[in-house]
C-alpha cells in the first residue's frame, strides 16, 4: 500500500542505493539548514502538499512530488556551477530510474518530470536541482504487493495481469 510513509521509505531506499547521495532528508528546506551532521550531496524529499485519488483507476492515488538534490559549490572550486548542475541532474535522473523500477506500485504520471536549477544568492555554497512530478502510487492491497500491469475493464472492474503469463489475479 503506497501511503506517504511508503513513498518516504522508497526515496530513503533509493538514497542508499545511489552511491553519489550521502544524506537523505524528508521535510522542508529548514531541515537542510538545521541538520549539522549531513554530508553532501543531499536528497531532500518535500512533504507532498496534495494527493488525489484518480477516478478512472480507483486503486491509484496521485501525489504531487518535489525532490531536490543539493550540493555545495564555492566560487573558487575548479568545477563550475553549470558542471555541478549537470552532475546533480544526473543524480536526479538516477533517482527517477530507481523510482520507475517498480511500475506495479509507482508510476510517473504522463511520464513527465520538470527540472529547475537554482542556487542560494545569499550563500554561494548551495546549488540545487529540483525535480517536480506527479507520482501515481498503487493504493489498494495491504496483504500483498501486486505484480503485473493493471487492467481496467469497461464495467469498472479492475484486475492485475500477472507478469509474463497474462493471468488475471482478480
Amino acid at each position: 500500500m503506497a501511503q506517504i510513509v511508503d513513498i518516504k521509505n522508497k526515496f530513503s531506499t533509493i538514497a542508499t542505493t545511489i552511491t553519489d547521495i550521502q544524506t537523505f532528508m524528508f521535510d522542508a528546506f529548514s531541515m537542510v539548514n538545521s541538520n549539522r551532521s549531513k554530508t553532501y550531496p543531499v536528497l531532500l524529499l518535500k512533504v507532498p502538499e496534495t494527493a488525489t485519488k484518480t477516478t478512472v483507476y480507483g486503486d491509484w492515488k496521485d501525489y504531487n512530488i518535489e525532490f531536490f538534490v543539493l550540493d555545495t559549490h564555492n566560487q573558487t572550486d575548479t568545477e563550475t556551477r553549470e558542471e555541478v548542475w549537470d552532475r546533480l541532474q544526473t543524480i536526479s535522473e538516477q533517482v527517477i530510474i530507481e523510482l520507475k523500477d517498480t511500475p506495479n506500485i509507482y508510476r510517473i504520471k504522463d511520464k513527465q518530470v520538470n527540472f529547475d536549477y537554482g542556487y542560494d544568492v545569499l550563500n554561494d555554497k548551495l546549488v540545487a536541482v529540483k525535480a517536480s512530478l506527479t507520482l501515481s502510487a498503487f493504493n489498494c492491497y495491504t496483504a500483498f504487493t501486486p505484480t503485473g500491469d493493471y487492467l481496467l475493464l469497461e464495467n469498472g472492474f479492475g484486475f492485475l495481469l500477472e507478469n509474463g503469463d497474462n493471468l488475471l489475479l482478480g
Side-chain angles (χ1 to χ4, degrees):
M1 183 170 215
Q3 300 292 337
I4 292 175
V5 69
D6 299 313
I7 294 169
K8 174 191 170 210
N9 291 341
K10 176 67 174 176
F11 273 84
S12 178
T13 300
I14 289 171
T16 60
T17 303
I18 299 173
T19 57
D20 290 331
I21 298 172
Q22 300 301 310
T23 305
F24 170 72
M25 299 176 138
F26 176 74
D27 201 353
F29 273 106
S30 60
M31 292 295 295
V32 175
N33 292 330
S34 64
N35 184 340
R36 301 287 181 209
S37 64
K38 69 189 168 298
T39 53
Y40 289 96
V42 170
L43 173 61
L44 171 68
L45 174 63
K46 282 186 63 179
V47 177
E49 295 180 10
T50 60
T52 307
K53 190 164 186 162
T54 58
T55 55
V56 176
Y57 303 108
D59 296 332
W60 291 85
K61 192 182 266 188
D62 291 342
Y63 295 91
N64 293 328
I65 299 285
E66 288 182 343
F67 71 86
F68 298 80
V69 180
L70 306 115
D71 203 350
T72 56
H73 176 264
N74 293 310
Q75 292 178 353
T76 58
D77 288 349
T78 57
E79 186 178 37
T80 67
R81 185 180 300 137
E82 293 80 8
E83 291 170 329
V84 174
W85 278 327
D86 288 343
R87 182 170 45 81
L88 296 179
Q89 179 162 346
T90 300
I91 295 170
S92 299
E93 290 169 353
Q94 291 172 333
V95 170
I96 292 165
I97 289 168
E98 291 291 325
L99 190 60
K100 291 179 0 182
D101 192 39
T102 51
N104 54 337
I105 299 174
Y106 300 107
R107 294 181 182 168
I108 297 173
K109 190 170 187 174
D110 300 327
K111 299 178 182 177
Q112 181 177 349
V113 179
N114 297 317
F115 292 101
D116 294 305
Y117 307 89
Y119 64 97
D120 190 343
V121 292
L122 301 176
N123 175 359
D124 69 338
K125 295 182 179 182
L126 197 58
V127 179
V129 171
K130 175 178 88 171
S132 305
L133 56 107
T134 300
L135 184 67
S136 295
F138 196 71
N139 199 34
C140 179
Y141 296 98
T142 56
F144 68 95
T145 302
T147 58
D149 290 325
Y150 191 72
L151 174 68
L152 182 68
L153 302 179
E154 239 179 82
N155 61 6
F157 288 102
F159 294 92
L160 283 173
L161 293 175
E162 190 172 336
N163 283 342
D165 295 332
N166 292 328
L167 300 174
L168 290 178
L169 297 177

